[in-house]
Amino acid sequence: MQNLLRLIIRFSFQIIFVILEIFALSMVFKRNPLPHARFFEITQDVNGFFATQTNHFARFFHLSDENSVLVTENARLRNELARRPLKSAGKDSVSTLSQPGYVYDYIAAQVVNNSINKQNNYITLDVGYRQGVRPDMGVVGPEGIVGIVRNVSANFSTVISVLNSKFKGSVKLASTNYFGTLIWPGHSYQEAVLTEIPGHINVYVGDTLITSGLTSAFPDGERVGFVKEVNHTPSGTFYELKVTLSQDFKKLTRVYVIRNFNKTEQEKLELQTYD
Amino acid sequence: MIDQLNRYVFRFFLVILFQVLILNNIQFSGYINPYFYIWYIMVLPFDTPGWALLLCAFFLGFGVDVFPQGISGNGSSLGTHTAATLLIAFMRPTILRWINPRDDYEPGTFPDTKNYGILWFISYALIMIGIHHFTLFFLEDLSLRDFLRTLLRVFMSGIFTLIIVLLWEGIRFRIPR
């Protein structure tokens, strides 16, 4: 016993190191999502508070830039509104009563924390479940898609940015409707890669890319970017398109979280089918 | 004694705030993010007891991990800074032994530029920064997907950390000769 005690005292430096390091590494490699998420909820509110304070200050200097972006966005929305046919026309009264008549709505949010230079980038927004945000909702900016909500606390939420190796988006070519998966190779904040577009169709540099609407996160037709470079995979069966993202992540300030009212219903049905 | 302790506590918070509020918000380019805060571990007194060294490193790393950039903005999982800082604190006595000057360390001095000169300090800082950044960036990018690019990040950020550490030492001692 005494020997053991002496041994412990002698190697106390090493022992303390090993204990603390194991604790630190277990945080890094934590796979159990629940306590992790709980921890996030607590710290996220604290973080959000700090980030909001710095952001209030920084925002002041970008007012004119932000205004011009908002004005162009407004103009685009007005145009779209003018062109859109009345969706509810022709529906009978029963279905309009049971449903709101529209599937998506947009929650305006402010970016309070954002990074573009890491290999996995995340964004923090100043809206949380009190404002109706839930995990897995899509997020779009004034110029294009931004990411997907990951964790939500009372008043804040974190978003997996498009600039993240975990991001996968279903995106199609506006001209031909062929869809593929958008991923981020991690080189530049302006560039992503669209894979799985079949090699037999014609793709041109400058083709517009929009969301496919095949996942519940984004409705059909949100802007994504443009084809920058047309490459084939080694086998030639698929394209590997370099994409210029239309959203400039460096000046991201105002974004919209997309709420899909049919999401639960759709996912429930799909789950039943796959089982 | 109490005075000195107060100074280190004050310095602890100062270093964390400087790191998370200023340095983490500077984005020089895709590769560079200096991590100046480990300077705190580097210049702790020689006679710091081992447990104090490790506890300092733990809370320092955890502080940087938990602050705004640490959770989401950083893109790194919680604990990366803690693990990397702990490692250099653990290795500090060994490193100091490796690079001790010919006439050994004098009691009552600190491992800084004022006491042991700029060249000695650069070699000391390079080893510490190297180990820290290497651990940090590889934990951040667990998959080792792109070994060379991560290595480039280690290198670029390391250089910048070194520059800031040296500048800070210069300001502290008005560039000793």
Side-chain angles (χ1 to χ4, degrees):
Chain A
M1 190 61 206
Q2 216 169 15
N3 277 340
L4 184 71
L5 218 60
R6 208 175 298 142
L7 209 67
I8 288 175
I9 290 169
R10 195 172 154 214
F11 289 102
S12 63
F13 186 53
Q14 282 81 351
I15 292 170
I16 296 174
F17 169 72
V18 168
I19 291 171
L20 290 178
E21 191 76 338
I22 287 174
F23 183 71
L25 288 178
S26 71
M27 281 195 286
V28 178
F29 294 98
K30 185 143 267 171
R31 287 278 170 268
N32 185 1
L34 199 65
H36 205 51
R38 276 301 254 305
F39 188 75
F40 265 118
E41 267 192 33
I42 299 163
T43 50
Q44 214 169 297
D45 273 345
V46 180
N47 290 340
F49 171 77
F50 274 106
T52 313
Q53 296 312 313
T54 25
N55 194 259
H56 274 316
F57 187 67
R59 211 163 64 203
F60 182 76
F61 295 101
H62 299 296
L63 281 180
S64 68
D65 274 358
E66 206 179 311
N67 269 342
S68 65
V69 172
L70 287 177
V71 167
T72 36
E73 193 196 8
N74 273 344
R76 191 173 58 82
L77 291 177
R78 274 166 193 272
N79 287 339
E80 242 173 64
L81 202 63
R83 269 188 249 115
R84 181 159 290 180
L86 277 175
K87 276 227 172 113
S88 56
K91 273 192 177 170
D92 59 66
S93 56
V94 178
S95 72
T96 37
L97 268 180
S98 61
Q99 270 187 331
Y102 48 91
V103 179
Y104 295 98
D105 79 346
Y106 293 74
I107 305 165
Q110 173 80 37
V111 173
V112 292
N113 198 358
N114 183 15
S115 76
I116 55 164
N117 60 353
K118 304 285 160 34
Q119 292 178 350
N120 288 315
N121 292 292
Y122 295 89
I123 298 165
T124 311
L125 306 179
D126 69 343
V127 290
Y129 60 72
R130 280 198 196 139
Q131 287 79 20
V133 179
R134 299 287 178 274
D136 297 330
M137 285 183 173
V139 179
V140 293
E143 296 160 310
I145 63 165
V146 165
I148 288 174
V149 175
R150 176 144 184 225
N151 293 87
V152 180
S153 70
N155 293 307
F156 292 97
S157 48
T158 49
V159 175
I160 299 183
S161 165
V162 173
L163 312 180
N164 189 314
S165 59
K166 289 176 204 138
F167 180 88
K168 279 198 171 66
S170 179
V171 165
K172 67 180 180 184
L173 291 156
S175 52
T176 55
N177 279 343
Y178 278 98
F179 68 91
T181 305
L182 187 78
I183 53 174
W184 189 58
H187 299 297
S188 154
Y189 71 95
Q190 291 161 317
E191 232 177 75
V193 169
L194 182 59
T195 57
E196 295 164 25
I197 296 283
H200 65 268
I201 61 160
N202 289 326
V203 181
Y204 302 104
V205 172
D207 277 359
T208 310
L209 299 169
I210 54 178
T211 52
S212 68
L214 293 176
T215 56
S216 56
F218 296 104
D220 184 5
E222 288 291 341
R223 287 191 298 170
V224 175
F226 309 97
V227 175
K228 186 186 181 191
E229 214 180 290
V230 179
N231 297 320
H232 283 275
T233 52
S235 65
T237 12
F238 291 105
Y239 281 113
E240 217 175 75
L241 304 170
K242 260 194 192 165
V243 176
T244 308
L245 295 169
S246 53
Q247 176 64 50
D248 186 347
F249 282 79
K250 235 180 175 161
K251 57 174 190 191
L252 205 59
T253 46
R254 301 228 173 238
V255 295
Y256 304 91
V257 182
I258 303 173
R259 182 156 45 171
N260 179 350
F261 290 106
N262 288 351
K263 180 179 148 78
T264 341
E265 189 184 330
Q266 184 187 343
E267 282 175 356
K268 214 168 121 190
L269 183 67
E270 284 172 355
L271 206 65
Q272 278 173 10
T273 315
Y274 298 148
D275 273 350
Chain B
M1 183 62 205
I2 297 293
D3 219 37
Q4 209 182 9
L5 191 69
N6 274 341
R7 200 175 57 180
Y8 277 101
V9 172
F10 176 71
R11 193 185 269 180
F12 179 85
F13 289 107
L14 199 75
V15 159
I16 291 187
L17 288 180
F18 181 55
Q19 179 65 46
V20 296
L21 293 183
I22 297 174
L23 289 183
N24 281 2
N25 288 311
I26 299 175
Q27 296 173 337
F28 292 107
S29 99
Y31 287 115
I32 303 170
N33 196 352
Y35 293 107
F36 167 75
Y37 69 94
I38 56 170
W39 166 82
Y40 183 83
I41 297 295
M42 299 197 308
V43 299
L44 282 173
F46 282 112
D47 50 5
T48 314
W51 58 268
L53 195 65
L54 291 174
L55 282 184
C56 278
F58 181 80
F59 288 113
L60 185 68
F62 196 71
V64 174
D65 262 331
V66 156
F67 259 88
Q69 290 282 325
I71 294 280
S72 57
N74 212 344
S76 55
S77 16
L78 195 66
T80 48
H81 286 280
T82 318
T85 315
L86 267 172
L87 185 68
I88 56 162
F90 177 69
M91 299 200 52
R92 197 184 100 128
T94 323
I95 294 167
L96 282 174
R97 221 173 303 130
W98 283 349
I99 57 165
N100 68 342
R102 209 169 298 149
D103 38 359
D104 220 343
Y105 303 109
E106 281 167 45
T109 58
F110 304 91
D112 54 24
T113 48
K114 187 183 167 197
N115 285 301
Y116 295 97
I118 191 138
L119 280 179
W120 177 87
F121 188 79
I122 288 179
S123 55
Y124 172 49
L126 268 181
I127 301 175
M128 295 284 272
I129 293 171
I131 297 173
H132 175 269
H133 283 35
F134 193 82
T135 321
L136 180 71
F137 285 121
F138 276 91
L139 281 180
E140 228 173 58
D141 181 39
L142 286 173
S143 52
L144 298 188
R145 200 163 31 146
D146 210 335
F147 184 82
L148 279 178
R149 195 144 48 83
T150 313
L151 217 56
L152 189 64
R153 289 183 70 195
V154 172
F155 183 71
M156 304 281 270
S157 297
I159 295 272
F160 256 78
T161 308
L162 183 68
I163 289 173
I164 293 175
V165 165
L166 288 178
L167 278 179
W168 178 240
E169 285 284 298
I171 292 168
R172 271 172 84 210
F173 302 124
R174 296 197 195 79
I175 309 182
R177 286 282 129 192

